[in-house]
Amino acid sequence: MIWYLAELLGLIQIDRNIKQYEYQTHPSYAGNFIRFGLDGIVGEYVSTVCQTFLFALALYFTLSCSSYYYFFKKNKELYLPKLNAKFYIFYDIKWSIINMFFETFLVSIIRVAQPRFSLMYYNISDYGYWYIPISIILHIIFDETLTYWVHRWLHTYGYLYIKLHRIHHFSKDITPFSGFAFHPLDAFAQAVPLFTSCFLFPIHMNLFLFFGLCTTSWAISIHDNVPALPLKFLLYSTHHTIHHEPGLGGMKNFGKFTSIWDRIMGTYEEPDRINFGWKQQQQQLNKLKKVNDFYESILPSDLNKIQKKQ
């Protein structure tokens, strides 16, 4: 909205008619999806709600069912032979559907507002290829920062945890179906950074959609308990397994994609003690040891190490 105010004050010039046309001709445009005979922005909003919900539903069940079948059924003896727990799969599916349905109405308001008020753009030529990596970095910084603090506040303040976030932590032993099992307001609060970065700086529509797909895929993958790519720069599945542990585990590893804020704020916990019987887990860690050691030397997981260096 800062940029929109600057536009109103005449500090920057954006042709909203062109932006609206580019938005309506983009393949992702939901305005012609399902309208129920409604015209104008109301019809566009209804179409966006329907498209967002149905796409989220299809993506959730495709990814979660595939991951669950692969890791928990077909290859359980390879990846998770020691994981014998009581899973609340139907509970997670129920809350995932509730979450997707109600959150969709909130998310769609932002989606409809994007072409009208944000700096979303649709042609790479508007800013050039050189700007793409800059926008990626800016988005990750914005998304990681807000998501970390929202997630941490949901655990810090008892009222927020009990009323909202406890739904997600009902499952102490997680499965891919847990990835979307949130109270809708909880999920929306953590999704806001993804949908609002374009109001602060220009971001290409395709890049925005890519980040949305990454967020969905990541939410499923960090609940499978298998550290397939144990790069310590990332917060991968066993980091999140710790986060779901009863007690102090829930006060660790709050980040979204990366471990940066957890390391800076002292809420990081190493995930290596979590191994449900995957024999190649240590081999994967050994392959990435130099990369992880280099990252550790730059941003130690223990704040005391930083103080000692100083």
Side-chain angles (χ1 to χ4, degrees):
M1 285 303 187
I2 295 175
W3 284 90
Y4 181 62
L5 291 176
E7 183 184 353
L8 290 178
L9 293 172
L11 300 177
I12 59 173
Q13 297 293 326
I14 298 176
D15 191 326
R16 290 294 167 185
N17 291 327
I18 293 178
K19 292 298 179 185
Q20 190 70 13
Y21 172 78
E22 291 173 339
Y23 163 64
Q24 292 176 348
T25 55
H26 192 272
S28 67
Y29 176 60
N32 297 319
F33 185 65
I34 300 174
R35 299 184 72 95
F36 297 107
L38 299 172
D39 297 323
I41 194 171
V42 175
E44 181 184 327
Y45 174 72
V46 170
S47 291
T48 303
V49 168
C50 294
Q51 183 202 55
T52 303
F53 174 65
L54 293 176
F55 182 76
L57 201 67
L59 196 58
Y60 168 73
F61 278 107
T62 298
L63 294 177
S64 59
C65 289
S66 299
S67 179
Y68 182 79
Y69 172 73
Y70 186 81
F71 290 114
F72 287 74
K73 292 297 182 181
K74 182 180 179 180
N75 297 299
K76 185 180 186 303
E77 291 305 311
L78 174 62
Y79 292 106
L80 302 166
K82 296 180 181 179
L83 181 59
N84 296 305
K86 184 177 181 181
F87 302 122
Y88 295 94
I89 292 176
F90 289 108
Y91 170 92
D92 286 338
I93 291 176
K94 178 191 75 173
W95 272 105
S96 294
I97 295 174
I98 292 172
N99 166 34
M100 286 184 284
F101 179 78
F102 286 103
E103 186 190 357
T104 292
F105 288 93
L106 299 174
V107 164
S108 295
I109 294 174
I110 303 178
R111 286 194 61 195
V112 170
Q114 284 174 342
R116 293 168 171 84
F117 305 110
S118 79
L119 293 171
M120 187 82 76
Y121 67 100
Y122 304 84
N123 296 309
I124 293 180
S125 59
D126 288 356
Y127 294 91
Y129 284 97
W130 65 271
Y131 179 71
I132 295 295
I134 294 176
S135 62
I136 291 174
I137 293 171
L138 289 174
H139 175 83
I140 290 175
I141 292 173
F142 178 75
D143 195 5
E144 286 289 325
T145 301
L146 265 68
T147 302
Y148 172 87
W149 285 106
V150 168
H151 192 184
R152 183 168 177 174
W153 291 332
L154 285 163
H155 280 268
T156 302
Y157 299 103
Y159 181 83
L160 293 177
Y161 182 83
I162 292 173
K163 294 297 183 180
L164 300 178
H165 202 52
R166 184 169 62 175
I167 288 172
H168 183 63
H169 281 265
F170 181 83
S171 294
K172 306 301 181 185
D173 299 296
I174 52 178
T175 72
F177 294 105
S178 309
F180 274 25
F182 288 90
H183 187 287
L185 293 180
D186 178 354
F188 178 69
Q190 296 192 60
V192 162
L194 167 67
F195 289 91
T196 57
S197 66
C198 60
F199 290 90
L200 298 178
F201 51 85
I203 187 168
H204 194 280
M205 181 62 173
N206 292 346
L207 192 58
F208 162 74
L209 295 173
F210 173 74
F211 275 120
L213 183 61
C214 287
T215 297
T216 302
S217 302
W218 195 256
I220 301 298
S221 70
I222 61 174
H223 290 85
D224 62 25
N225 301 291
V226 181
L229 185 65
L231 282 168
K232 298 299 178 66
F233 172 74
L234 304 173
L235 278 181
Y236 47 84
S237 58
T238 43
H239 282 107
H240 206 67
T241 301
I242 290 174
H243 180 71
H244 272 265
E245 288 180 337
L248 294 178
M251 297 304 293
K252 299 291 184 179
N253 302 337
F254 293 109
K256 185 175 183 178
F257 293 117
T258 77
S259 62
I260 294 176
W261 272 108
D262 282 297
R263 289 170 179 268
I264 293 174
M265 299 307 301
T267 55
Y268 180 82
E269 183 170 333
E270 288 285 353
D272 298 344
R273 65 176 174 82
I274 304 295
N275 188 331
F276 291 111
W278 184 30
K279 294 180 181 179
Q280 295 183 350
Q281 184 166 325
Q282 189 56 49
Q283 295 178 21
Q284 291 294 94
L285 285 168
N286 291 339
K287 289 179 182 178
L288 297 171
K289 187 176 187 305
K290 290 184 179 180
V291 176
N292 287 332
D293 287 348
F294 176 71
Y295 178 54
E296 180 73 17
S297 68
I298 298 174
L299 189 60
S301 57
D302 186 347
L303 290 180
N304 293 325
K305 295 179 182 177
I306 300 177
Q307 295 170 358
K308 288 177 182 177
K309 285 185 177 182
Q310 295 175 341

